[in-house]
């Protein structure tokens, strides 16, 4: 059986790190409120010259180095983002050019916070179908550029960053992507969206969210889709070594783990230092836990995310 194996991971963050205390100098909020309601303490904010494509390129370079392969070996780039450098062309093609890859397949996936899960399923499907052999799968965002900095209910929640993995198609490995499950329910557009776009307002718009309602849906959807992905791989929550979740809110991580009867120590938490980086959050958390030595080769991982649309999904991976 042909499977997609994770050869390496990488990530990148903007240089500037902003604390809750610093935010509260310009926004009517407090460190206490943000920590208690979300678990967030810091977020990184892109500065001049830092864009979604530069962060994505840095994350991709780190993943290629960890994988021990040259950029020239990559034949597919799938990049998940809701904050592309330009409306078109796809940010994936900017990364391709920056990495000096003369020819490959390169495109973006738009599924907001679930984008990385969508990108993983697309790349995995193409690899298993024989349409690609070595893929860069990237989640990269600069949400700071679409936040309404007057809206304290959203602007304190998000940060910028990028994460990447290198996938390789191998015949009959023990490890690799074992299953993926995706969902969308477009009826919930009004709960989490951007109030602009090229075809409507000709502006990029700002993030709008009804946080409490999103929270409610998130816990149910994430627990359900993790169960579906595990069942598809013939496994249960008891087999899981690490959950690598979308980092929106520490309370969502706790509630979801409880629903699946998973010990909180098995959940990788980076929301305290990265905040919600949308499509970047899962690969950023994955790379963090690989590099700090928690995630080891052979461990069973469940990746999960939920975001605007709504869209949500999970992947079961033997690392
Ligand atoms: O990545 C996509 C998925 N996104 C998510 O999963 C986000 C899900 N939602 C959440 O994480 C939470 O709902 C939030 C963190 C967004 C909000 O927490 P909450 O406990 O649901 O608070 P709330 O929105 O119900 O607001 C409670 C109070 C309000 O005041 P009143 O009306 O009770 O007087 C808000 O005005 O907190 C107030 N508030 C703030 N206060 C200080 C809202 N934002 C802030 C703030 N600082 N930044």
């Amino acid at each position: 059986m042909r499977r997609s194996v994770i050869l390496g991971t990488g990530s990148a963050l903007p240089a500037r790190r902003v604390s809750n205390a610093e935010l509260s100098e310009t926004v009517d909020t407090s460190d206490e409120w943000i920590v208690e309601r979300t678990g967030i303490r810091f977020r990184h904010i892109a500065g001049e010259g830092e864009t979604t494509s530069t962060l994505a390129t840095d994350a991709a370079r780190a993943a290629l180095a960890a994988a021990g392969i040259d950029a020239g070996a990559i034949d597919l780039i799938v990049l998940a983002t809701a904050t592309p450098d330009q409306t078109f062309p796809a940010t994936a093609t900017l990364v391709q050019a920056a990495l000096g890859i003369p020819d490959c397949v390169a495109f973006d996936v738009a599924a907001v916070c679930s984008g990385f899960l969508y990108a993983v399923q697309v790349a995995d499907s193409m690899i298993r179908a024989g349409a690609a052999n070595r893929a860069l799968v990237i989640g990269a965002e600069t949400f700071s550029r679409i936040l309404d900095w007057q809206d304290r209910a959203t602007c304190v929640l998000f940060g910028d960053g990028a994460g990447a993995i290198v996938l390789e198609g191998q015949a009959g490995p023990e490890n690799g992507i074992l299953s993926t499950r995706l969902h969308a329910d477009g009826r919930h557009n009004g709960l989490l969206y951007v109030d602009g776009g090229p075809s409507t307002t000709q502006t990029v718009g700002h993030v709008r969210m009804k946080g409490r309602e999103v929270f409610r849906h998130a816990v149910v959807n994430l627990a359900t889709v993790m169960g579906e992905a595990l069942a598809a791989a013939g496994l249960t929550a008891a087999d899981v070594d690490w959950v690598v979740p979308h980092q929106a809110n520490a309370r969502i991580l706790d509630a979801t783990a409880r629903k699946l009867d998973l010990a909180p120590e098995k959940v990788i938490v980076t929301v305290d230092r990265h905040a919600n980086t949308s499509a970047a959050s899962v690969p950023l958390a994955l790379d963090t836990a690989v590099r700090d030595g928690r995630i080891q080769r052979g461990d069973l991982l469940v990746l999960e995310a939920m975001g605007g649309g709504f869209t949500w999904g999970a992947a079961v991976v033997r690392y």
Side-chain angles (χ1 to χ4, degrees):
M1 188 204 284
R2 191 170 153 86
R3 255 193 207 142
S4 312
V5 171
I6 299 180
L7 291 187
T9 67
S11 61
L13 292 162
R16 182 169 167 235
R17 191 174 82 148
V18 177
S19 69
N20 294 342
E22 186 180 342
L23 261 192
S24 65
E25 288 167 16
T26 51
V27 180
D28 179 19
T29 189
S30 65
D31 177 54
E32 193 187 8
W33 189 94
I34 300 171
V35 171
E36 188 186 309
R37 300 292 177 120
T38 71
I40 296 166
R41 293 177 186 277
F42 299 97
R43 74 285 294 140
H44 288 252
I45 303 286
E48 210 180 320
E50 288 175 322
T51 66
T52 296
S53 76
T54 68
L55 294 167
T57 303
D58 289 347
R61 285 208 174 99
L64 287 165
I69 64 167
D70 290 332
I74 295 295
D75 53 15
L76 171 67
I77 302 175
V78 188
L79 188 149
T81 191
T83 47
D85 284 27
Q86 297 159 271
T87 302
F88 81 82
T91 302
T93 63
L94 305 184
V95 173
Q96 177 202 358
L99 292 176
I101 303 172
D103 185 25
C104 69
V105 176
F107 59 95
D108 291 357
V109 163
V112 209
C113 298
S114 332
F116 185 73
L117 271 301
Y118 270 68
V120 163
Q121 192 187 72
V122 168
D124 176 47
S125 302
M126 288 178 69
I127 285 170
R128 282 187 297 107
N133 285 312
R134 288 200 192 91
L136 263 171
V137 185
I138 307 170
E141 303 276 17
T142 44
F143 253 53
S144 65
R145 306 233 156 100
I146 57 165
L147 293 173
D148 173 356
W149 288 97
Q150 312 299 319
D151 177 14
R152 67 177 183 173
T154 53
C155 73
V156 305
L157 305 174
F158 294 91
D160 302 333
I165 59 174
V166 176
L167 289 179
E168 181 180 69
Q170 295 180 4
E174 300 266 300
N175 57 341
I177 296 173
L178 306 184
S179 68
T180 56
R181 281 292 177 278
L182 300 177
H183 294 278
D185 185 347
R187 292 172 300 176
H188 299 298
N189 183 310
L191 298 181
L192 178 50
Y193 63 102
V194 162
D195 61 1
S199 184
T200 49
T201 59
Q202 296 85 56
T203 63
V204 292
H206 292 118
V207 175
R208 304 292 173 208
M209 177 165 73
K210 297 205 167 82
R212 200 172 281 182
E213 276 123 297
V214 177
F215 191 111
R216 234 172 355 97
H217 284 275
V219 175
V220 176
N221 289 344
L222 289 170
T224 306
V225 76
M226 279 200 274
E228 289 170 5
L230 282 166
L235 298 166
T236 70
D239 299 305
V240 174
D241 293 305
W242 298 105
V243 181
V244 187
H246 173 48
Q247 309 282 327
N249 185 320
R251 289 186 293 139
I252 295 180
L253 305 188
D254 292 343
T256 311
R258 258 200 312 277
K259 245 185 182 320
L260 282 179
D261 220 1
L262 274 158
E265 306 82 64
K266 292 186 169 184
V267 181
I268 305 294
V269 181
T270 54
V271 68
D272 52 335
R273 41 195 149 140
H274 299 156
N276 182 345
T277 57
S278 182
S281 90
V282 171
L284 251 171
L286 175 65
D287 186 53
T288 301
V290 165
R291 282 174 196 266
D292 70 21
R294 274 178 291 174
I295 294 179
Q296 297 283 324
R297 286 288 172 192
D299 283 354
L300 190 82
L301 318 180
V302 184
L303 283 47
E304 51 91 327
M306 142 108 190
F310 294 142
T311 54
W312 63 103
V316 175
V317 181
R318 176 77 62 192
Y319 178 68

